[in-house]
Amino acid sequence: MARHVTVPRRRLGSSRLEVSAVALGSWRTFERLPRERGVEILTHARELGINFLDDARYNDETGSAPLPTGYSEVLFGELFRAADLRREDTIVSEKLWWEFWPRESAADELDGSLGRLRFDYVDLIYCTTLPAELSVEQAVAEVAALLAAGTARAWGVAMWPPAAIEAATLAAAAQGIEPPCAAQMAYSVVSRAEAESPQMAAALRGAGAGLVASAALEGGLLTGKYDAGATTGRLAGALDDPARRAALDAGRALRALAEEWGSGAAALAVAFVLDHPSLASVLVGATAPAQLDEVVAGVALHAELSDDDRARLRGLVG
C-alpha cells in the first residue's frame, strides 16, 4: 500500500533526546554502495522524518578501504555532510567496543571515532559487552567522564543482559549520572525471548531505558531475500543454522499475512516491533531509498492494527 508517512518522534528513555521511531543504521552498508546512493539514502531518510542515525567502527571487509578499521566512520561522516544534514537536527549514536581496554580508555576510543567522523560529539554512546576484566562500575565511571567532557550527550547499552543493566543503573546513581537511556538488542517477530522477558522488562523500567530494536527483519530472512537460494548477502552462507531456518519459516507466514492485509512484509515486521511497550526506535538498514519507504510504511500500519490483528500477528510464531 502506498502511503505518505512522516516518522513520529519518541522520547529516548529518560533522556531529553527525541528520536524517530525508525532509526537508520550503517553496519556493513555504505562502503558497499556507490557514494551517490549513500547520499540518496540519507537524504530520503531526512525527508521521511528519520533523525536517528546509528554508526559504528568496524574492520574493513571490502579489501579496498584506505583504513583497516574505522573507514565506516570516515564514510558516514562524508555522506552525512554530502547529504547536507544538520548536525543539531540529528541524533547520532556510536559504540564503545572496549577492544583495546585498558590500553585505550573509553575517552581514547571515542576521540578516535570523532576524529574519523569529523564530529565534535555524539548524542548517544552505547557500551557493548564488557571485557571480563572491566567491571560495570569502572565502565560507568568512564562513561561519566565522556558525559562531563561533552563528547557524548547520553549513554546506553547494547547486547547487555538484564542483570548488567540493573547493575549499571545502580552504578550510575552512585556516580551521579543519569542511568542508561537506551538498550539496543535484537527483537523481531521470531526473536522475542530476551526483549520480552520479565527480567528485561524490569531492568528497562528500573533504568528508564527505551528499547532500540535491531534485526527487526532478521537480516532479510523475514522478507524473502533468501528464499530463492540467494548467494549474496551477509547471511547467505548460514541458512542451515536452525535459528535461520526458523526465521525463514516465520518469514513465509509473515509474507502470507502481509499479502492478505495488502501490506508489505517489511512493514508488517516493523509494525510488530513497534508494539513493544518499551520501544523507542526500530533500527533498520537500507541499500536503496525505496527500502526505507517499505519499512516506514510499518509506522502507519501499526497505528491501524486492532487487538485481533495484534494477536494474529503474534500468533505467527508459537
Side-chain angles (χ1 to χ4, degrees):
M1 64 188 88
R3 311 174 186 203
H4 175 74
V5 178
T6 298
V7 180
R9 305 279 169 87
R10 298 183 175 195
R11 181 67 63 87
L12 184 58
S14 58
S15 77
R16 288 174 291 191
L17 303 178
E18 294 281 346
V19 299
S20 50
V22 174
L24 177 62
S26 56
W27 185 258
R28 300 174 69 188
T29 300
F30 289 130
E31 68 270 31
R32 290 172 163 78
L33 301 176
R35 185 169 292 250
E36 58 271 18
R37 177 94 58 81
V39 173
E40 289 172 359
I41 292 168
L42 287 177
T43 300
H44 193 52
R46 180 187 61 207
E47 293 168 348
L48 292 170
I50 296 173
N51 77 327
F52 193 12
L53 304 179
D54 185 67
D55 190 53
R57 172 180 61 85
Y58 53 86
N59 295 338
D60 173 55
E61 298 173 335
T62 67
S64 59
L67 298 175
T69 187
Y71 184 61
S72 52
E73 296 169 317
V74 172
L75 186 54
F76 176 85
E78 291 175 351
L79 295 175
F80 185 98
R81 287 179 286 276
D84 201 26
L85 299 182
R86 289 166 53 90
R87 184 66 189 87
E88 60 270 28
D89 295 337
T90 312
I91 305 299
V92 176
S93 59
E94 257 285 357
K95 287 188 171 67
L96 290 173
W97 297 114
W98 309 102
E99 186 177 6
F100 303 112
W101 190 90
R103 175 170 56 83
E104 183 180 74
S105 67
D108 294 332
E109 184 176 352
L110 181 53
D111 282 348
S113 292
L114 292 174
R116 288 183 289 272
L117 288 163
R118 289 173 51 199
F119 286 178
D120 295 326
Y121 66 94
V122 295
D123 300 280
L124 176 67
I125 189 70
Y126 286 111
C127 291
T128 63
T129 303
L130 303 181
E133 63 274 18
L134 176 59
S135 70
V136 169
E137 292 74 17
Q138 287 175 293
V140 171
E142 296 213 17
V143 166
L146 303 180
L147 300 177
T151 51
R153 296 175 62 199
W155 73 290
V157 298
M159 301 166 285
W160 279 32
I165 296 174
E166 290 172 345
T169 301
L170 292 174
Q175 298 183 38
I177 67 169
E178 294 296 316
C181 67
Q184 187 182 125
M185 68 191 76
Y187 182 55
S188 74
V189 69
V190 72
S191 298
R192 307 180 190 177
E194 181 178 43
E196 292 187 353
S197 72
Q199 295 83 1
M200 185 61 75
L204 295 180
R205 186 168 56 250
L211 170 65
V212 178
S214 62
L217 307 182
E218 293 288 336
L221 294 173
L222 295 180
T223 59
K225 177 178 179 179
Y226 295 95
D227 276 12
T231 57
T232 60
R234 68 182 67 173
L235 301 180
L239 299 183
D240 289 334
D241 182 291
R244 308 295 189 208
R245 302 306 305 176
L248 286 170
D249 292 342
R252 295 185 186 100
L254 183 77
R255 292 195 299 281
L257 183 59
E259 183 176 358
E260 179 183 335
W261 286 358
S263 174
L268 195 53
V270 167
F272 171 85
V273 173
L274 285 168
D275 219 36
H276 192 287
S278 296
L279 196 283
S281 193
V282 184
L283 177 60
V284 301
T287 57
Q291 291 181 347
L292 282 178
D293 292 326
E294 293 170 6
V295 299
V296 166
V299 175
L301 179 60
H302 174 255
E304 298 173 358
L305 295 178
S306 67
D307 289 344
D308 287 344
D309 292 336
R310 287 176 165 83
R312 191 170 176 195
L313 183 53
R314 290 191 62 82
L316 289 178
V317 176

